[in-house]
Amino acid sequence: TQLLEQSPQFLSIQEGENLTVYCNSSSVFSSLQWYRQEPGEGPVLLVTVVTGGEVKKLKRLTFQFGDARKDSSLHITAAQPGDTGLYLCAGTNAGGTSYGKLTFGQGTILTVHP
Amino acid sequence: SQTIHQWPATLVQPVGSPLSLECTVEGTSNPNLYWYRQAAGRGLQLLFYSVGIGQISSEVPQNLSASRPQDRQFILSSKKLLLSDSGFYLCAWSLLRQGLGSPLHFGNGTRLTVT
């Protein structure tokens, strides 16, 4: 069973600060996705990374896939209250037929105070 | 554009009662369909997935079952609910692109409370 460990589990910061969320595994993933979820709603995809070492930017969010495709990070610059939510990483198993099944991390609850 | 509908949004059911949650997808054909459960705003646990009509795979043994009577309809059921079935249930769809991490598109979930 492939596991994804996210850290930290909780993050409470002031508006304007920077932060990084980590997603680590001992297993190799063929791709990794990051989702953001608000209370009472389903997760919404932010980004998919598929190549080891890949870096993608989405406005103030920077996503990186580790060279060995076992880990990923999400960095937010100058956080805003609108960034508040649950951030989830999810990986697709490398090799075999995955049928699109994802392994999810336990999530990071981010609170940005004005 | 594709949309996913999941209902009801909230449900309170007594222990021992039956359950039926429904999910439908519009705007795409032959999607993969998934049922996830989320505990206390944390990670998602995959319960069932389906790659076609009548094809259901269960990921964990439990008190629940799933069915796919039509291409874009996915139903989560139970004959007798347990207290431990309480949680936030999410339906999702994707299009199979093996090895590339097909993104999941989630519904807005059903908050189930078993009393």
Side-chain angles (χ1 to χ4, degrees), chain B residues 79-97:
Chain B
K79 293 181 179 179
K80 291 185 178 181
L81 283 169
L82 306 172
L83 287 174
S84 58
D85 291 325
S86 294
F88 191 51
Y89 289 85
L90 287 157
C91 179
W93 69 270
S94 72
L95 294 177
L96 179 63
R97 286 182 292 162

Side-chain angles (χ1 to χ4, degrees), chain A residues 4-113:
Chain A
L4 276 170
E5 295 185 4
Q6 264 186 258
S7 61
Q9 293 186 45
F10 302 93
L11 200 50
S12 180
I13 62 173
Q14 293 297 125
E15 182 176 3
E17 293 182 4
N18 302 332
L19 67 109
T20 302
V21 177
Y22 299 93
C23 182
N24 296 297
S25 176
S26 59
S27 304
V28 175
F29 290 93
S30 60
S31 66
L32 201 134
Q33 300 170 11
W34 285 91
Y35 292 81
R36 178 171 172 269
Q37 184 180 17
E38 298 196 24
E41 298 182 4
V44 175
L45 179 71
L46 295 173
V47 76
T48 300
V49 286
V50 297
T51 304
E54 182 177 3
V55 177
K56 282 190 174 179
K57 291 190 175 183
L58 185 65
K59 297 183 179 179
R60 292 177 294 100
L61 278 62
T62 301
F63 304 85
Q64 185 165 8
F65 202 13
D67 291 340
R69 292 186 293 146
K70 293 182 178 181
D71 54 87
S72 181
S73 64
L74 158 61
H75 182 78
I76 301 179
T77 303
Q80 299 176 0
D83 295 327
T84 294
L86 174 67
Y87 289 82
L88 294 157
C89 65
T92 303
N93 298 347
T97 301
S98 67
Y99 295 110
K101 294 186 294 180
L102 294 176
T103 298
F104 278 86
Q106 287 304 299
T108 295
I109 297 175
L110 171 64
T111 305
V112 182
H113 301 280

Side-chain angles (χ1 to χ4, degrees), chain B residues 3-79:
Chain B
T3 57
I4 179 170
H5 303 279
Q6 189 180 341
W7 68 92
T10 59
L11 190 60
V12 180
Q13 292 283 99
V15 169
S17 65
L19 172 74
S20 181
L21 302 181
E22 190 163 343
C23 172
T24 59
V25 179
E26 297 178 358
T28 188
S29 297
N30 197 30
N32 289 353
L33 296 173
Y34 309 84
W35 279 110
Y36 282 88
R37 179 166 56 201
Q38 186 176 33
R42 305 303 292 173
L44 279 65
Q45 179 187 37
L46 179 62
L47 301 176
F48 301 96
Y49 71 93
S50 171
V51 299
I53 297 174
Q55 300 178 60
I56 308 295
S57 295
S58 174
E59 288 294 294
V60 293
Q62 60 204 308
N63 185 43
L64 302 168
S65 61
S67 61
R68 185 171 179 175
Q70 300 181 43
D71 180 45
R72 291 169 290 176
Q73 183 185 26
F74 207 21
I75 298 172
L76 184 68
S77 304
S78 174
K79 293 181 179 179

